[in-house]
Amino acid sequence: MEVSVVIPIYNAERYMRRAVESALAQPETAEVLLVEDASPDNALKICRELENEFKRVRLLRHPDHGNHGAGASRNLGILNAKSLYIAFLDADDFFLENRFAHTKVLFEKSSDVDGVYEAVGFEFLTEAGRQKWLAKGFHHNGHMVDCAKPDNLFETLVNGKGTIHLNGLTVKKSLFEKCGYFPESLKVHQDTALIVKMSVWGKLVPGHLSKPVAMRTFHDENRILNQKDKHLDKYLYWKMLFNWACDNSLSSNRLTFLFNRYLYSVLRSLKSQNLEFNNYCQRIISFSKDILSHPFLFIVAVSQAISERVLHKSFNSSLFGRGAR
């Protein structure tokens, strides 16, 4: 098994050598593709040094040498990859020993498997990064909580019962021909969106979920810890996924799942303090068009929301009632 490891490079000069060396330490790594995304630091210089130092390292840049984001950078790496298997690594993260050992076994065991996801651990490089992480209410894991079956993986991901981090995912290059590439219109959550699509068009199976195969690092400059408007980002994410689901004629149950999340994201984004009036109106108009196009989904979503609220109130009343007695 030979793997192409794709690493998008932006503002990571302090960490990228560790990332590259951790990828090269894996016997299955055939090449490491560094996709430099017009980083304002000395990353390009370090990329060139690493390319000259290691035969398995290749430097890629966008044709215009401009900044296009992580999604576009990963897509460029995928298109230039020479191996049949693709893995991803963020430039400030690193692989652990035997990263692909169990993944290799699962691919060799079943020819119909399109991808393997495994646990990813994390570490805080600064106290400020740890405090930001806790303040945003993130969970203390970066992997699937339960071993979901491939057929139920879509529902598990959409319902927020678990996540798959790119550092722990290995897929066949052929899967991108089925599900497409990273959505370049999104500034964040491109990876999550693509993995949801993969769960529909491919067979993803769990590998080791109790022991990490890679590590995420958190520091003051982490993009996920410095989101300006997370509700706007979530709104754009769910809207894109819902429109994709409609275009690809997903089942009514899956459309309902996505529409519910889309509805909640709209309501939350409208409460954003940073939302200008024009954007507020545009969001209302856009969602209204989706309601007119899918009235049944809207009715189902509202009915479910009312039912959940009634059950919640009933539960609380029963709970407090017992306490009073």
Side-chain angles (χ1 to χ4, degrees):
M1 177 183 176
E2 293 188 345
V3 182
S4 293
V5 179
V6 177
I7 306 179
I9 303 295
Y10 187 82
N11 263 0
E13 63 176 355
R14 288 184 290 174
Y15 315 103
M16 51 190 293
R17 174 171 283 275
R18 180 180 64 173
V20 169
E21 291 181 348
S22 75
L24 292 173
Q26 314 303 322
E28 297 82 5
T29 299
E31 61 177 354
V32 175
L33 303 175
L34 303 179
V35 188
E36 200 279 329
D37 194 28
S39 184
D41 57 8
N42 291 319
L44 177 59
K45 177 183 177 182
I46 298 174
C47 283
R48 287 171 172 155
E49 292 174 353
L50 291 168
E51 185 180 39
N52 291 329
E53 184 176 349
F54 301 106
K55 293 181 179 180
R56 286 182 289 164
V57 173
R58 280 201 290 149
L59 170 61
L60 300 174
R61 303 183 72 189
H62 296 285
D64 62 355
H65 292 180
N67 174 255
H68 293 266
S73 297
R74 292 189 181 108
N75 288 341
L76 183 61
I78 295 166
L79 293 171
N80 284 272
K82 296 179 180 179
S83 302
L84 297 179
Y85 297 90
I86 306 289
F88 301 96
L89 181 63
D90 289 344
D92 49 0
D93 300 336
F94 58 96
F95 287 152
L96 296 175
E97 188 178 1
N98 298 319
R99 161 67 181 88
F100 301 109
H102 190 53
T103 293
K104 180 180 179 179
V105 172
L106 293 177
F107 274 121
E108 292 178 346
K109 183 179 179 180
S110 302
S111 60
D112 62 337
V113 169
D114 294 299
V116 176
Y117 56 91
E118 300 190 81
V120 174
F122 62 91
E123 65 175 10
F124 298 103
L125 298 184
T126 64
E127 178 60 23
R130 190 180 76 87
Q131 292 300 327
K132 284 184 178 181
W133 171 268
L134 296 176
K136 286 184 176 291
F138 289 129
H139 298 294
H140 286 269
N141 60 0
H143 56 84
M144 295 295 296
V145 177
D146 300 313
C147 294
K149 296 180 180 179
D151 293 342
N152 298 327
L153 187 58
F154 173 87
E155 287 74 18
T156 299
L157 294 172
V158 171
N159 283 328
K161 294 182 179 179
T163 60
I164 296 175
H165 192 273
L166 278 183
N167 289 350
L169 179 68
T170 309
V171 297
K172 291 178 178 176
K173 188 176 181 180
S174 58
L175 180 57
F176 296 100
E177 298 174 2
K178 303 176 186 178
C179 68
Y181 297 84
F182 288 92
E184 298 180 10
S185 61
L186 296 179
K187 293 183 178 179
V188 295
H189 306 311
Q190 314 103 324
D191 49 350
T192 311
L194 179 62
I195 292 170
V196 170
K197 294 180 182 181
M198 286 179 171
S199 72
V200 173
W201 299 118
K203 182 178 181 180
L204 304 184
V205 300
H208 287 310
L209 298 183
S210 59
K211 182 180 179 180
V213 297
M215 296 294 291
R216 302 174 65 184
T217 57
F218 293 97
H219 44 82
D220 300 358
E221 294 83 26
N222 274 110
R223 182 179 54 180
I224 193 66
L225 298 182
N226 292 287
Q227 287 178 271
K228 294 181 179 180
D229 191 342
K230 67 177 183 179
H231 294 308
L232 171 60
D233 294 332
K234 281 291 186 181
Y235 159 74
L236 295 173
Y237 164 74
W238 288 116
K239 178 176 175 59
M240 187 281 298
L241 267 186
F242 175 69
N243 290 333
W244 164 81
C246 293
D247 292 340
N248 287 274
S249 302
L250 265 62
S251 68
S252 59
N253 286 339
R254 288 182 167 179
L255 282 174
T256 301
F257 272 128
L258 289 175
F259 190 84
N260 286 350
R261 297 299 179 271
Y262 176 29
L263 170 61
Y264 286 127
S265 73
V266 171
L267 297 177
R268 288 168 181 160
S269 71
L270 292 176
K271 297 179 181 179
S272 174
Q273 297 179 351
N274 300 325
L275 187 62
E276 296 180 356
F277 180 73
N278 288 341
N279 292 332
Y280 182 94
C281 294
Q282 290 175 3
R283 210 161 295 173
I284 291 292
I285 293 172
S286 176
F287 185 61
S288 298
K289 290 180 179 178
D290 287 329
I291 292 176
L292 293 174
S293 300
H294 307 280
F296 176 75
L297 292 178
F298 179 71
I299 293 172
V300 172
V302 172
S303 299
Q304 289 181 351
I306 293 174
S307 298
E308 290 174 1
R309 189 169 184 178
V310 169
L311 288 173
H312 181 68
K313 285 186 175 181
S314 176
F315 173 77
N316 285 339
S317 298
S318 176
L319 185 65
F320 289 125
R322 290 196 197 97
R325 288 195 294 271

